Amino acid sequence: MLGIIGGTGLTKLPGLSITHRQVIRTPYGEPSGPATFGELDGHPVVFLARHGYGHTIPPHLVNYRANIWALHAQKVSHVVSVATVGGIHPELAPGKLCVPDQIIDYTHARESTFAEYNGKPVTHQDFTWPYCVDMRERCLRALRAAGEDFIDGGVYAAVQGPRLETKAEIDRLARDGADMVGMTGMPEAYLAREIGLCYAAVTVSVNWAAGRGDSAEAISAQTIESTLAGAMARVRQVLTRLACMDYR
Ligand code: HPA
C-alpha cells in the first residue's frame, strides 16, 4: 500500500474518501497524528500529516521515528513524501516540482536512527543513493502523467530550522552542490531506508532561497502562501496518479 506524508500546505487531502483514522502507538512515542486511511480515486492509501493536522509541529520537533515506524506497521510498502523547499538552483523557481536524487544532511540533535544499543553487532546501512529507485520512478511517471513540467534529480539540503537561512548560508549550500533547501527531508529518508520502506520525495519550491531571486532582501511569507495553494492542487493530481499504481 502507498503511504503519503504531507508537509506544509498538505495537512489534508480533499480528494481522499476517508474510511477511518487510526491512532498508532509506537516504541518511539506518538506520531504526528492518527493515520488517515482512505481511497484516492478508488485506490487505498494511508495519509499522515507530518506537522500534525493543525500544522502545529515544527520541523525539528517532528517525531520522524514514530511516523516512519507507524507507516511501516500498517503494511505500507512505498512512501511518497511531499515537502516544500526554497529554490537554490535557477530552475527551481517558486511553483516548480522536483524529484530529488541526493541529500546533504545539515540537521542536528534529531533522533535519526532506529539502531540502538541492543547487544547485537553494529551494522552500517548503505545510503549512497538515499531515495528508493522504484519510488522515484513512480513519482516521475506520475508527474509526467499529470502533465507537470518538473525537474528529475537534484540535491536536497536538509537544514535544522525552524528559522530560514541567511544569504551566506545559502551561498554555502550552493557551493556544497545543493539545489534546494528544506527542513524535513532528514532523518525521514534515512529512517525509511533503515526500516525497509521504498521512499522518495516530491518537492515543491515555494520561494527562492534567501538572497536569490525575489528573496534578495527577504523571503516573503505572502509569496510562500500564494505559491503553496496553487502548487498543492497540482501535487494532489500527482498523488492520485501515484495511488493508481500497483503496490502489491
Ligand atoms: N528554507 C528552508 N526550508 C524551506 C524553505 C527555505 O527557504 N522554503 C520552504 N522550506
Side-chain angles (χ1 to χ4, degrees):
M1 184 165 46
L2 174 66
I4 300 170
I5 303 180
T8 303
L10 200 72
T11 48
K12 288 191 198 79
L13 268 185
L16 183 68
S17 55
I18 298 171
T19 50
H20 65 287
R21 289 198 175 83
Q22 192 174 328
V23 175
I24 301 162
R25 304 203 184 287
T26 90
Y28 305 97
E30 283 193 31
S32 298
T36 306
F37 291 78
E39 291 187 347
L40 263 185
D41 225 17
H43 302 275
V45 298
V46 186
F47 177 79
L48 193 58
R50 183 187 286 116
H51 300 283
Y53 293 96
H55 204 277
T56 50
I57 310 171
H60 61 296
L61 296 180
V62 169
N63 191 340
Y64 296 97
R65 289 200 300 185
N67 287 351
I68 291 293
W69 194 96
L71 290 177
H72 184 253
Q74 297 311 303
K75 308 277 183 271
V76 164
S77 56
H78 292 68
V79 175
V80 60
S81 150
V82 179
T84 60
V85 294
I88 299 176
H89 190 283
E91 293 221 26
L92 288 178
K96 196 78 163 192
L97 306 185
C98 176
V99 184
D101 62 353
Q102 275 297 334
I103 296 175
I104 305 177
D105 187 6
Y106 299 92
T107 66
H108 52 87
R110 298 183 179 188
E111 297 288 357
S112 56
T113 177
F114 292 114
E116 282 171 344
Y117 181 73
N118 57 10
K120 293 192 186 140
V122 173
T123 56
H124 300 283
Q125 182 73 53
D126 175 65
F127 204 47
T128 311
W129 293 96
Y131 298 107
C132 172
V133 174
D134 175 22
M135 193 62 210
R136 274 197 83 250
E137 291 292 330
R138 288 169 186 265
C139 291
L140 299 178
R141 263 192 281 142
L143 281 154
R144 278 186 216 113
E148 279 295 333
D149 176 25
F150 61 95
I151 305 284
D152 172 2
V155 179
Y156 177 108
V159 296
Q160 179 71 0
R163 69 166 176 84
L164 292 161
E165 300 69 42
T166 65
K167 177 187 177 304
E169 284 169 339
I170 294 299
D171 290 344
R172 172 194 167 211
L173 296 186
R175 285 195 300 275
D176 282 358
D179 297 308
M180 68 202 92
V181 56
M183 300 176 190
T184 56
M186 284 294 283
E188 197 173 87
Y190 180 66
L191 291 165
R193 172 64 55 86
E194 258 194 352
I195 212 165
L197 287 171
C198 183
Y199 171 104
V202 173
T203 62
V204 184
S205 179
V206 290
N207 57 278
W208 283 115
R212 313 263 149 154
D214 65 3
S215 300
E217 295 307 319
I219 294 174
S220 147
Q222 249 169 342
T223 311
I224 294 183
E225 282 298 311
S226 57
T227 311
L228 258 182
M232 287 306 165
R234 285 157 45 213
V235 167
R236 285 196 285 271
Q237 297 301 314
V238 176
L239 293 176
T240 302
R241 303 279 180 167
L242 275 174
C244 292
M245 295 175 191
D246 189 355
Y247 292 95
R248 278 168 299 165

